[in-house]
Amino acid sequence: MFFWGALLVMTVVTSIIIASLILPKLYLKTRYTMKKSGDRGIKKIAEVNGQSILFEPSMKWRKYVKQYVLSERSGKKQLTCKIHADIAYLSYDVVLFNNRDEVFNVLTVKEKIEKAGYTKTVDLPEETSYVAISVNEVDATDFSAPITAKLENGKFAKFIFWCSLCIFMETFIVKVCCANIFGGVFREMFVLNWETTGVTLMIAVALIIINWIITSTAVKIRSGKTTSWNK
């Protein structure tokens, strides 16, 4: 009795850890379409309570965004862009890099310009080490190239395969453990009866389909998710 109870607990706990922690880290890690910054730092300004760094965006966007300032004052990080004076509306992505040169988020800014030539100040997360600018829309011109997160090819299929195998094995092992815990007629009905085996198989398939639907939805939401900032 103790053996089957311990095996049941171990099976459930192990399956949860594998499906929710190990497999997602192996196969469901998304990568942003921008992996490195093409922007150029041109000047560092020391201040009493922090510092500011002046950047030029990549050549592709300098027609619209001339420069931008990444400042850190009293531990608070902010971004302000200097743009061409005739721009009335600007939408752009701020790609956030951490101190390991990895993109950890993308902030999408949509702004009606109130002060000609300058955007409003945008607050940035504390873990931001530097950023990159990518323009999405200027007035009536739409570039339709937002920075998004994508899953590597084939990774999703591998996750579904291994997760399905895990669910399949877990379902049958749980059935065997329960049969031996209850014993007697329950053991004969749960383990030796083909009808109950068919039911167990259908339960496993149903759980696999539910997992596939939930995972597909979560990946789709996460792949297109950015943080919005509208003014």
Side-chain angles (χ1 to χ4, degrees), residues 63-80:
K63 180 180 178 181
Y64 310 103
V65 180
K66 294 180 179 180
Q67 297 172 337
Y68 62 88
V69 174
L70 183 63
S71 62
E72 181 176 0
R73 299 184 181 94
S74 301
K76 188 175 183 179
K77 298 181 180 180
Q78 297 178 316
L79 171 75
T80 305

Side-chain angles (χ1 to χ4, degrees), residues 46-66:
E47 300 178 10
V48 176
N49 57 347
Q51 67 173 12
S52 296
I53 303 177
L54 183 64
F55 287 86
E56 284 184 337
S58 59
M59 187 64 68
K60 181 179 181 181
W61 305 123
R62 288 181 199 171
K63 180 180 178 181
Y64 310 103
V65 180
K66 294 180 179 180

